Amino acid sequence: MRLQPNSGLSGRTNECHPNLPLWAWAASKQLRIRARHFCASAVPRDVWVETTNQAVLTAAVEAGCSRALFKEDTLHLAQSWQQLATFQALSLQQDGSILDQQENKVGRLLKLSCKADLQKAEAAAKDDGFLLMDASDWKIIPAENLVAAFQSGAGKLMGVAGCAADARVMLEALETGTAGVLLRTQDPLQVKQLAAYIAQREAEGAPAFTYDVATVTRVSPVGMCDRVCVDLCSLLQPGEGMLVGSFARALFLVHSECMESQYINSRPFRVNAGAVHAYVQAPNGKTAYLSELKSGAEVLVADAAGRAKTAVVGRCKIETRPMMLVEAETADGTRHSTLLQNAETVRLIGPGSSSSSSSSSSSSSSSRSSSSSSSSSASPSAPGGSSEAGTRSAGSQQSWQAVSVSELQPGQKVYLLLQEAARHTGISIQERINEK
């Protein structure tokens, strides 16, 4: 049976089926451990599902799973379920081959029950595509052996698991783990448990950005400019924002509009990010121009501790507004800048008054962000207040604050993310460049 192509289908589900709520896809794509900036060893982990229970498929799609495997006698379910959600249906043939909807071979499933089967699987490491190892009664030994074999091969090893606990064994084999798992279950709870485990693993293993502390040297109006408001499909917490700057070499941490104000209701999904020319940090170490962002794009959201996560753009609003030029100087004497709207709701994040009072411009880089294990919390601001304060680490009591651009003064401290300046289509390259 040949599957009919789905016009909205892609292996990377960055669009939602009209009948699937936006939050179902955008709620963090938990079933994929995503590579993060400054972490070359982070490897994406795919999770596929095999089931005849629609509730399992629904739970998987809502958690971000983009592929489901069907045997030839259950392909009719794929046709029906694709009317409800967007996912990639793969078919398992009698010889173990796995085909996509265009009948291209993307991998194969191999049952392991003896040493000879294990040797066949190890030999397949040099082949492109996915190898799904099905070792129903023989889990830990083949998983470890095959993970070692596939580390230097072209193929991608996936384990077959009947529950979240077995999937965890596969993902943790030899610490590196398999490239992913096929979860074969009729229980939606197993999908949710696996999603929770992967989300926890991602949070614990995610590296943190290291910020420099820069001293504000200039805050001045520059007139009317086109600025970009970025509305995300995620609710941001106090201390979180986007990394934006006029130069890719130095990005300011611009706070979201999650704080209450006497002038306007909070918008915890919004970041008033700056002028259209500015760079914004994107996933995988890339940058994008604010003017390029549109619905469905991905950006990085970072907090005061340097922890980052991917967020989906719901919409962008470009409007003409009065703007302010903000310049800040790092310890090496280099000045960096960004342009932000002159509004009480636009804030920059920096160290709190307790930690910044002991530092000076000449030693601004001596205070850098804490490790990814530190947590972010905030105390409520006074109604109509223009700054928000919080604690980045309960152990070190290093605080942060978000200061409104309308009250920002020379001498105050802000966080900067310093990185390579040269970019080509958003990708960092080694090239001599002088921007000012």
Side-chain angles (χ1 to χ4, degrees):
M1 177 179 178
R2 181 185 177 90
L3 289 173
Q4 296 300 317
N6 186 328
S7 61
L9 186 65
S10 66
R12 186 169 176 269
T13 53
N14 59 352
E15 294 185 70
C16 297
H17 190 279
N19 293 325
L20 184 67
L22 181 60
W23 61 264
W25 174 80
S28 82
K29 295 189 265 186
Q30 293 179 13
L31 284 184
R32 177 170 293 231
I33 298 178
R34 305 179 61 82
R36 289 184 179 273
H37 190 33
F38 298 154
C39 185
S41 62
V43 179
R45 312 283 178 172
D46 282 312
V47 174
W48 304 358
V49 293
E50 181 182 349
T51 187
T52 57
N53 185 347
Q54 182 177 327
V56 172
L57 189 280
T58 301
V61 172
E62 289 179 352
C65 180
S66 62
R67 293 185 177 96
L69 184 66
F70 297 87
K71 296 178 180 177
E72 290 184 293
D73 60 349
T74 60
L75 281 176
H76 64 282
L77 295 176
Q79 296 276 16
S80 174
W81 292 348
Q82 284 181 336
Q83 303 302 314
L84 304 175
T86 299
F87 63 92
Q88 185 174 9
L90 304 175
S91 60
L92 177 63
Q93 307 299 301
Q94 291 184 352
D95 64 355
S97 299
I98 299 174
L99 308 181
D100 63 15
Q101 289 188 253
Q102 289 71 42
E103 296 190 344
N104 299 314
K105 184 176 179 179
V106 297
R108 65 184 176 123
L109 183 144
L110 181 63
K111 293 186 177 181
L112 305 180
S113 58
C114 62
K115 187 174 181 180
D117 294 335
L118 181 61
Q119 291 174 341
K120 291 180 182 179
E122 290 174 344
K126 65 180 184 297
D127 300 329
D128 291 330
F130 294 95
L131 176 68
L132 277 65
M133 61 169 183
D134 184 359
S136 301
D137 300 316
W138 193 29
K139 301 180 181 68
I140 296 179
I141 294 177
E144 293 182 343
N145 290 353
L146 289 177
V147 166
F150 273 74
Q151 282 182 350
S152 57
K156 295 182 179 179
L157 177 66
M158 295 184 63
V160 178
C163 63
D166 288 347
R168 178 171 179 170
V169 172
M170 300 293 181
L171 293 172
E172 293 179 349
L174 290 184
E175 295 188 357
T176 302
T178 59
V181 291
L182 169 68
L183 184 59
R184 184 180 286 162
T185 183
Q186 304 299 328
D187 184 1
L189 181 60
Q190 296 301 317
V191 177
K192 296 175 182 178
Q193 289 177 347
L194 180 57
Y197 160 71
I198 292 180
Q200 179 184 3
R201 176 173 170 174
E202 181 182 35
E204 293 174 349
F209 289 122
T210 298
Y211 299 131
D212 276 65
V213 177
T215 303
V216 175
T217 57
R218 180 183 176 189
V219 182
S220 60
V222 293
M224 305 295 286
C225 303
D226 291 337
R227 71 95 175 93
V228 183
C229 258
V230 183
D231 290 350
L232 303 173
C233 298
S234 303
L235 298 178
L236 275 57
Q237 301 299 317
E240 291 183 329
M242 288 167 48
L243 292 159
V244 180
S246 291
F247 311 109
R249 67 172 186 260
L251 303 180
F252 294 73
L253 185 53
V254 182
H255 201 269
S256 74
E257 294 188 3
C258 66
M259 294 159 53
E260 295 292 340
S261 169
Q262 65 179 358
Y263 305 110
I264 191 172
N265 293 331
S266 66
R267 303 284 190 269
F269 53 83
R270 174 171 297 168
V271 179
N272 190 333
V276 288
H277 76 289
Y279 287 101
V280 59
Q281 192 67 49
N284 302 319
K286 297 182 179 180
T287 57
Y289 293 117
L290 284 178
S291 60
E292 294 176 339
L293 297 183
K294 58 183 179 180
S295 181
E298 292 182 335
V299 296
L300 274 191
V301 169
D303 68 9
R307 295 169 300 184
K309 61 184 179 182
T310 301
V312 179
V313 175
R315 63 173 167 265
C316 288
K317 299 194 303 179
I318 301 178
E319 300 161 311
T320 302
R321 293 292 185 268
M323 303 293 281
M324 302 285 283
L325 172 65
V326 178
E327 286 187 349
E329 182 177 298
T330 47
D332 61 0
T334 304
R335 293 196 174 187
H336 314 277
S337 67
T338 193
L339 274 78
L340 299 169
Q341 182 180 342
N342 185 6
E344 183 263 345
T345 55
V346 181
R347 297 170 172 87
L348 289 177
I349 300 177
S353 57
S354 60
S355 58
S356 63
S357 60
S358 60
S359 62
S360 63
S361 175
S362 62
S363 60
S364 60
S365 66
S366 63
S367 175
R368 302 173 75 92
S369 67
S370 59
S371 66
S372 60
S373 62
S374 60
S375 61
S376 175
S377 63
S379 59
S381 60
S386 59
S387 66
E388 175 91 349
T391 301
R392 290 168 47 211
S393 172
S396 63
Q397 294 300 310
Q398 291 180 309
S399 62
W400 59 266
Q401 63 179 352
V403 181
S404 172
V405 171
S406 62
E407 293 191 358
L408 193 64
Q409 299 292 329
Q412 290 183 290
K413 310 293 184 180
V414 294
Y415 288 138
L416 288 183
L417 176 65
L418 301 184
Q419 54 189 358
E420 294 294 332
R423 298 273 159 169
H424 178 68
T425 64
I427 302 173
S428 176
I429 60 174
Q430 296 297 320
E431 183 180 56
R432 182 179 178 182
I433 185 171
N434 181 21
E435 294 179 308
K436 56 184 181 180

